[in-house]
């Protein structure tokens, strides 16, 4: 062991550091300097006495672990006293370095687990006071060619306290094994790996010792301890997969390949040739599709286990776990690039296979862990995989992988995996994911995928917002959805313009701001007229003669017989239709009501007949007479959903609202006003057609004379404020 007076840092600049205070030539300064030297000697003596007392307390305390050490124990008091004494030294850096040498000596001289833990924790606290001393000490532990440092319990304890740079230490230990091959070094490595990997609570993973394991594996005639270690590690790796047919594949070899790949990814300037060689080796190792799926499963589970094993996000262990996930994602991408079987289809199949394995593992974790399910690990691996796959330049392969990734996200939608909801929202709102779908070469496929994902999002959110009390998580998810829609509204308004109907069908009526966001979209090439313009005449605006582009998938909500009846009614206006319509819509389903209102309205919007004779208006009036109040409210809301940017539909439905208000009884006038007003009193944005229609409504003769405007002081103040606002902006 060490000589107590040995100095492993004697050649360090710190050892020769001058006193930190002024040592000028005048007499007072000289006296102070001489006095300071005496003070430093006294400080060193005091520190040595306290350290000896600390060692005695540790040996005689009878405590087995630092967790049982009370904060006011003499050991803790001595440890807190030492930094104060060091700070009073005339040469604190030199004093610190000398004292740390003695602490290291005490650490390596110890022979109990409590002593290892106490001295290691104390040493760690001293390192926090001086990064230079930490660097000097660790450089000896990692790089020095000194057999005295080969103490497995000490090193294991320092690794547990995250004091050792594991990657660099793995390199140096592997070099020592290959260079000397001495039994002492080999046995030290075996003991250290056993303590780190085979203990009941492992403190590292095999990937952290990849080079050391490789060096031990290369020994020609290994000692029995090496064989026992390798056999035990192989048993641990293969134990979760005993029931799986692996076709003679070596799990240990797969783990070592992943470890080698992760280590290679740490270099700042990667070697592409080596990357391709390792990816090719992985493809050869897996042999067939089943073997490839098993390889992806083993690697994914390894990454997830690494991530979930450590709680501290700031720890070096957690950083290495994240690096392993990112490295695995890069490995999958290189396997896609390297795959040569079946051309481009084979490349896409490799990526799809990796995604399928991730979905299955996420499903298993989500089901088995329940409330303890951790979504962060899967979010990281999916986002990293997307980032790596997006770098593939082959257009056909890239398009296939993007579609496969989108399908994976659709399968992972929150309705299927509520515990993954926040991560799922973050994945679909990635800054490059939606743009690749919406602005890609295959617009039809990309927009269809986006519609599916948006519907999955809104179908999950809708029932949550219908509850009387919104939980904090629901409010956060709703806020995230709003922000996502704002981005779509700004960057891709045409997408919302064409798909608005399928979205508003699944948005609850209580989510007015969310509904307004979708309905406020208008084509980027259009310049909206000012809705507050006095005497605004929609008939003079050319855009009101143009029919809007929209997807027809909303019609699926109408069954075939009902749709045929609507078409027949538009042609011959038969009275029998009203009974069928009442029967179909009495269920008050918003999606069916919305589809009916838009479908029959679009059939008659371009007609030159007077508005009261149009089939849609006739049907609306009849339904307002026979439907219950809830049904009438749903019908009026469905009409208000069509008040968007200037187009033929907005023109027709705006005229329909004004006509219904003018011809319906007082109760229905109040309903019409309520539907429009409740959409305007929320935060912006507000659809252009909604604003223009409401302004036309309040400017209609006799509007301010209705009783419902003066029914309550709050309502009266609300209308007065709206009136003043409109007059001020007009």
């Amino acid at each position: 062991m060490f000589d107590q007076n040995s100095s492993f840092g004697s050649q360090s600049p710190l050892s020769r550091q001058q006193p930190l205070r002024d040592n000028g030539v005048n007499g007072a300064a000289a006296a102070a300097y001489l006095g300071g030297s005496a003070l430093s000697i006294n400080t060193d003596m005091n520190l040595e006495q306290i350290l000896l007392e600390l060692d005695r307390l540790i040996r005689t305390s009878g405590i087995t672990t630092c967790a049982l050490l009370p904060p006011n124990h003499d050991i803790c008091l001595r440890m807190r006293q030492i930094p104060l004494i060091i700070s009073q030294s005339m040469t604190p850096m030199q004093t610190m370095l000398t004292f740390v040498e003695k602490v290291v000596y005490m650490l390596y001289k110890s022979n109990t687990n409590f002593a290892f833990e106490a001295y290691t924790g104390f040493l760690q606290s001293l390192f926090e006071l001086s990064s230079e001393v930490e660097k000097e000490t660790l450089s000896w532990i990692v790089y020095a060619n000194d057999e005295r440092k080969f103490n497995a319990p000490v090193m294991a304890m320092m690794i547990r306290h995250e004091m050792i740079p594991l990657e660099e230490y793995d390199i140096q230990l592997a070099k020592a094994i290959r260079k000397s091959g001495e039994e002492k070094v080999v046995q030290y490595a075996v003991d250290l790996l056993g303590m780190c990997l085979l203990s009941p609570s492992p403190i590292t993973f095999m990937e952290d010792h990849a080079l050391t394991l490789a060096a031990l594996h290369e020994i020609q005639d290994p000692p029995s301890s090496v064989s026992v270690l390798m056999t035990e590690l192989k048993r641990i790796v293969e134990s979760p997969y005993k029931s799986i047919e692996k076709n003679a594949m070596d799990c240990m070899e797969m783990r070592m390949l992943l470890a080698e790949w992760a280590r290679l990814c740490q270099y700042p300037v990667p070697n592409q040739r080596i990357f391709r060689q390792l990816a090719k080796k992985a493809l050869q190792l897996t042999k067939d599709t089943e073997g490839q799926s098993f390889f992806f499963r083993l690697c994914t589970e390894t990454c997830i286990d690494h991530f979930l094993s450590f709680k501290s996000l700031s720890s070096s262990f957690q950083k290495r776990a994240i690096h392993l996930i990112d490295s695995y994602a890069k490995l999958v991408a290189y396997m896609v690039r390297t795959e040569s079987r079946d051309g481009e289809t084979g490349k896409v199949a490799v990526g799809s296979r990796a995604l399928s394995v991730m979905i299955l593992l996420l499903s298993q974790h989500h089901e088995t862990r329940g409330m303890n399910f951790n979504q962060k690990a899967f979010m990281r691996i999916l986002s990293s995989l997307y980032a790596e796959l997006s770098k593939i330049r082959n257009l056909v392969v890239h398009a296939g992988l993007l579609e496969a990734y989108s399908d994976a996200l659709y399968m992972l939608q929150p309705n299927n995996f509520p515990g993954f909801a926040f991560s799922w929202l973050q994945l679909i709102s990635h800054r490059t994911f939606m743009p690749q779908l919406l602005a890609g070469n295959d617009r039809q496929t990309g927009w269809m995928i986006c519609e599916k994902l948006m519907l999955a999002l809104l179908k999950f959110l809708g029932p949550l917002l219908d509850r009387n009390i919104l939980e904090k998580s629901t409010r956060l998810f709703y806020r995230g959805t709003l922000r996502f829609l704002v981005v779509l509204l700004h960057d891709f308004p045409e997408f919302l313009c064409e798909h608005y109907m399928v979205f508003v069908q699944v948005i609850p009526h209580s989510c007015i701001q969310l509904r307004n966001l979708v309905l406020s979209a208008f084509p980027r090439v259009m310049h909206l007229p000012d809705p507050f313009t006095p005497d605004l005449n929609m008939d003079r605006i050319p855009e009101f003669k143009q029919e809007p582009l929209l997807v027809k998938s909303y019609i699926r909500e109408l069954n075939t017989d009902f749709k045929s009846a609507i078409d027949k009614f538009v042609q011959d206006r038969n009275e029998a239709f009203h009974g069928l319509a009442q029967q179909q819509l009495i269920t008050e389903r918003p999606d069916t009501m919305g589809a009916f209102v838009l479908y029959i309205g679009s059939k008659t919007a371009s007609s030159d007949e007077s508005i009261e004779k149009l089939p849609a208006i006739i049907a609306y009036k009849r339904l307002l007479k026979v439907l219950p109040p809830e049904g009438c409210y749903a019908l009026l809301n469905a009409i208000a959903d069509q008040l968007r940017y200037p187009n033929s539909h907005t023109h027709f439905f705006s005229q329909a609202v004004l006509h219904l208000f003018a011809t319906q009884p007082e109760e229905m006038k109040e309903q019409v006003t309520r539907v429009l007003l409740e959409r305007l009193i929320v935060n912006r944005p507000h659809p252009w057609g909604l604003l223009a229609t409401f302004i036309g409504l309040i400017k209609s003769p006799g509007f301010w004379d209705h009783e419902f405007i003066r029914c309550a002081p709050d309502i009266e103040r609300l209308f007065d404020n709206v009136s003043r606002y409109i007059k001020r902006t007009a």
Side-chain angles (χ1 to χ4, degrees), residues 56 63 156 196 236 238 312 329 346 532 613:
R56 184 189 66 79
I63 299 175
C196 292
I236 293 175
E238 293 182 348
S312 174
F532 300 105
K613 296 181 180 180

Side-chain angles (χ1 to χ4, degrees), residues 124 160-162 305-322 374 376:
Q124 188 176 29
R160 184 184 295 275
H161 282 72
E162 304 181 23
D305 290 343
H306 277 51
F307 192 95
L308 299 180
S309 296
F310 302 102
K311 305 298 183 183
S312 174
L313 291 176
S314 60
S315 69
S316 60
F317 289 109
Q318 194 73 20
K319 293 177 182 177
R320 293 204 310 279
I322 292 175
N374 190 328
K376 293 181 180 179

Side-chain angles (χ1 to χ4, degrees), residues 121-351:
F122 183 41
L123 194 62
Q124 188 176 29
S125 66
L126 293 175
F127 284 171
E128 293 175 357
L129 301 177
S130 173
S131 59
E132 294 293 334
V133 172
E134 178 185 16
K135 180 180 178 181
E136 191 74 23
T137 306
L138 293 181
S139 65
W140 177 83
I141 294 174
V142 175
Y143 298 105
N145 185 17
D146 193 334
E147 293 184 358
R148 296 176 296 176
K149 69 178 186 178
F150 294 140
N151 187 318
V154 170
M155 184 55 62
M157 187 60 67
M158 296 184 76
I159 291 174
R160 184 184 295 275
H161 282 72
E162 304 181 23
M163 296 172 63
I164 301 297
L166 272 178
E167 294 83 2
E168 189 61 30
Y169 189 73
D170 184 37
I171 294 173
Q172 298 304 320
L173 184 55
K175 284 182 179 179
I177 294 173
R178 290 190 175 99
K179 184 177 180 180
S180 66
E182 295 181 3
E183 184 178 352
K184 182 177 181 180
V185 178
V186 173
Q187 189 59 44
Y188 162 74
V190 171
D191 293 341
L192 178 62
L193 294 184
M195 293 177 181
C196 292
L197 301 175
L198 303 181
S199 63
S201 299
I203 57 178
T204 57
F205 288 97
M206 287 173 50
E207 287 73 16
D208 298 322
H209 310 281
L211 299 181
T212 302
L213 287 170
L216 292 175
H217 184 71
E218 293 169 3
I219 298 177
Q220 295 295 334
D221 188 14
S224 59
S225 58
V226 175
S227 302
V228 171
L229 174 69
M230 292 298 184
T231 303
E232 185 63 18
L233 288 176
K234 187 172 183 179
R235 184 191 65 80
I236 293 175
V237 172
E238 293 182 348
S239 59
Y241 311 108
K242 286 182 178 179
S243 59
I244 299 176
E245 180 61 38
K246 298 184 284 292
N247 295 329
M249 290 187 297
D250 191 342
C251 297
M252 188 74 172
E253 186 178 0
M254 292 180 178
R255 283 286 294 269
M256 289 299 98
L257 188 146
L258 177 63
E260 184 180 358
W261 178 273
R263 190 61 59 88
L264 185 64
C265 290
Q266 290 178 332
Y267 292 101
V269 183
N271 190 316
Q272 299 296 329
R273 182 178 61 83
I274 299 178
F275 275 165
R276 287 191 291 270
Q277 288 178 352
L278 275 179
K280 187 176 182 179
K281 180 180 177 181
L283 290 170
Q284 293 172 348
L285 187 65
T286 54
K287 299 179 181 178
D288 54 16
T289 56
E290 291 185 3
Q292 204 171 89
S293 297
F294 177 74
F295 174 73
F296 289 143
R297 174 184 175 179
L298 185 143
C299 292
T300 305
E301 288 186 332
T302 300
C303 293
I304 299 302
D305 290 343
H306 277 51
F307 192 95
L308 299 180
S309 296
F310 302 102
K311 305 298 183 183
S312 174
L313 291 176
S314 60
S315 69
S316 60
F317 289 109
Q318 194 73 20
K319 293 177 182 177
R320 293 204 310 279
I322 292 175
H323 170 73
L324 184 64
I325 288 177
D326 296 341
S327 301
Y328 168 60
K330 181 176 287 188
L331 174 60
V332 174
Y334 268 87
M335 290 176 68
V336 171
R337 292 187 180 97
T338 310
E339 175 62 60
S340 57
R341 293 170 291 185
D342 300 328
E344 294 167 339
T345 305
K347 295 178 183 294
V348 175
V350 173

